[in-house]
Amino acid sequence: MKIHPKGSQARVLLSSVFGPYAQDDKFGSRSINPMELYHNQVTRAQGSFSLRMFHRSWGIMMIQENISAPCSLLDFPTREAFARELTTNHYDIVGISSIIVNVGKVREMCRIVRKLSPGSVIVVGGHVAAIPGIEAMIDADHIVRGEGISWMRRYLGEDEHAPIRHPAIVSGLQTRVMGVRLPQRKGGTAATIIPSVGCPMGCNFCTTSAFFGGKGKFVNFYETGDELFDVMCRIESELKVHSFFVMDENFLLHRTRAMRLLERMKQAGKSWELSVFASANAIRKYTMQELVELGISWVWMGLESPSASYGKLRGADIGQLTRELREHGIRVQGSSIIGLEHHTPDNIAQEIEAATGYQTDFHQFMLYTPVPGTPLYQEMADQGRLLADVDFADIHGQYKFNFLHESISRDDSKRFLDWAFWRDFERNGPSLYRMCRTMLQGWQRYKDYPDPRVRERFAREVKKLGSAYNAALWVMEREFKRVNDSVSARIRNLRRDVEKEFPILARLTAAFLGPILLWSARREEHRLASGRTYEPPTFLERRNWSSAS
Ligand code: B12
Ligand code: SF4
């Protein structure tokens, strides 16, 4: 690859694709595809109890932090804001980050750059680059597959092997539940830490594994527990956080690194909370005590299907594992696939029952989806089973099949998916309630634990349970009577248990805050019913910028 003629003096604009996102438009926005993690694919059937928040575009934040060229970052721009930035400042390089669903927006952004800033080199990166034949769909100069920090460093003539500097990232923004926007105070939200990209397990449908090399491969930004510990200490003091969202596809798989991190945490008396992604086989490498001492408080686990044969599930009794984790205060987010090859209209209900029977705190359901770039996509293409007329904007696993399934029709795939979300909600109640249940279990088990770091963590978490969350339980108990009386009774029992632990504060908050929350939850239900959606704010951040002027 040729280095840019201006090297690290080149002025760079990095941008995510433009919004709005949660509405149908000709560029590929879809109302069912908001820029929200939980509401998009986890709690979307939970009405006003759905957990709502936005997440920044971490890939370009990582790139910006790791180049020495003057660089602006535009996150969630409107088309107008993107055009304005191109005309108010001169850019030698415009980098656009996108995933596959947003390829129509990338096409439009390339068109805008050519028109408004014809001298700029256009670089497109992120998962969109995995679309076969993308070169002919968009007018870009470089399409970058895989890891982007090293690519951009190479292109600017910088040292691609220099250590990775981690930006201080607040994980979620504008959190909203039951119609209330939670106050955004410093340290109140977890920091995102990205130790690696990719996953060596190489499941056939997995797009992140495939994009960074596939089976046996991944890219580590921080090899050792010591490196990770140092990064976390720096971010702890910059953002004043105790809690980290660890964005690593399979954090617990790397046991040596995790155990060294634990050693350092113990030496330094760090009472941190870690939310991680991990596969069942990786979790099984640890005792519950090790997980708890490491601060694991939330785990996102692929359950796929009770009859799936993925290596990561081999030998694991998922029901027992998810129960055990919850009994130790670890919130579990399960992820199940609808429409696997063995699914039929006759057995799918049974599989959904089994999945919801795990009673995880959160449950994501996704359609089995051959995504461009994955082994599954190739397999389906070879078998001639890909549906030709599906828009890329609709290939994301939350709408309908993009392939010919042996037993399930395209329309039924959506019906089964929607049913799974609804059944989980109806059978298990709002995730907010389930989280409270797990938090109480953790507190009761660990409040007298010998390690003060662990006691401190559970005490920190339970504070919310004894106050605001108890008011939320009071509301959920009332509102859920209309959905499922027996779940409402379970919520009531939990509320009583919380009130036994915190007799004064919990009761007072339920009595005073409860009615206000009830009013706001109902108002939110009305708003949602009338089509209200939420959009993230636009961010513009400059780095090394003064040297550019
Ligand atoms: C955070 C996240 C989100 C956030 C939003 C992020 C944002 N601001 O866009 C939320 C939760 C809102 C979200 C929503 C969705 N997401 Co999402 N999301 C993620 C997640 C969990 C982390 C992304 C991340 O930061 N990774 C870490 C960074 C460092 O990696 P990266 O982004 O890939 O960036 C690296 C390279 O790709 C490259 N790169 C990236 N951009 C650029 C730009 C340039 C110029 C260059 C040179 C290189 C480059 O360099 C980076 C460093 O190596 C990923 C899963 C994952 N593990 O990556 C899914 C993921 C990206 N999401 C995905 C999908 C499908 C969705 C949704 C459609 C929901 C759904 N149905 O699944 C919606 C779409 C919303 C919309 N309307 O656009 C898929 C994308 C699949 C694909 N092949 O396109 C992923 C991979 C999950 C998955 N396994 O299926 N998502
Ligand atoms: S274990 Fe999870 S992240 Fe890893 S390849 Fe399989 S699905 Fe992807």
Side-chain angles (χ1 to χ4, degrees), residues 100-317:
I100 289 175
V101 286
N102 294 320
V103 64
K105 298 186 179 195
V106 178
R107 185 186 302 120
E108 172 64 4
M109 290 170 86
C110 292
R111 189 191 66 76
I112 295 174
V113 179
R114 293 291 188 230
K115 186 169 159 215
L116 301 180
S117 182
S120 303
V121 173
I122 303 179
V123 183
V124 171
H127 287 270
V128 74
I131 300 179
I134 179 141
E135 291 78 4
M137 294 176 197
I138 59 173
D139 182 10
D141 300 296
H142 300 277
I143 293 169
V144 179
R145 293 181 181 85
E147 208 286 292
I149 300 173
S150 54
W151 189 94
M152 198 55 103
R153 283 174 162 175
R154 268 198 311 278
Y155 187 52
L156 295 168
E158 301 182 3
D159 176 9
E160 67 173 291
H161 302 295
I164 301 288
R165 193 183 143 80
H166 203 297
I169 305 174
V170 176
S171 74
L173 308 163
Q174 299 192 352
T175 306
R176 186 181 185 91
V177 67
M178 295 165 79
V180 177
R181 172 117 154 243
L182 305 188
Q184 221 163 306
R185 59 177 175 81
K186 190 155 188 167
T189 312
T192 298
I193 297 285
I194 308 174
S196 76
V197 284
C199 173
M201 294 300 291
C203 301
N204 67 339
F205 59 84
C206 182
T207 178
T208 33
S209 175
F211 194 63
F212 295 99
K215 214 178 182 77
K217 306 231 172 63
F218 65 106
V219 181
N220 240 349
F221 294 142
Y222 304 105
E223 295 280 346
T224 66
D226 291 302
E227 285 172 272
L228 207 51
F229 178 77
D230 291 344
V231 168
M232 290 166 78
C233 284
R234 179 171 58 78
I235 289 175
E236 173 191 38
S237 77
E238 269 180 53
L239 295 179
K240 308 281 172 256
V241 290
H242 301 287
S243 171
F244 296 91
F245 177 82
V246 185
M247 185 54 253
D248 184 306
E249 287 291 298
N250 208 334
F251 178 71
L252 295 174
L253 199 57
H254 314 288
R255 186 177 154 89
T256 316
R257 184 176 68 183
M259 291 310 284
R260 177 62 185 156
L261 176 66
L262 171 58
E263 219 175 301
R264 296 291 305 271
M265 283 168 63
K266 279 185 172 169
Q267 284 164 5
K270 296 291 184 194
S271 168
W272 288 339
E273 272 162 71
L274 272 56
S275 300
V276 303
F277 295 77
S279 54
N281 67 335
I283 298 171
R284 274 291 173 228
K285 290 183 184 177
Y286 301 78
T287 63
M288 285 297 146
Q289 263 57 41
E290 284 170 340
L291 293 175
V292 167
E293 291 185 1
L294 189 55
I296 304 296
S297 58
W298 184 90
V299 67
W300 183 316
M301 192 192 330
L303 310 177
E304 321 314 7
S305 141
S307 2
S309 58
Y310 292 105
K312 62 181 172 179
L313 299 173
R314 210 157 288 145
D317 176 340

Side-chain angles (χ1 to χ4, degrees), residues 33 41 55 57-58 97 100 102 147-148 207 247 249 366 396:
N33 208 3
Q41 64 214 69
H55 293 80
S57 303
W58 301 325
S97 178
I100 289 175
N102 294 320
E147 208 286 292
T207 178
M247 185 54 253
E249 287 291 298
M366 275 278 177
H396 53 70

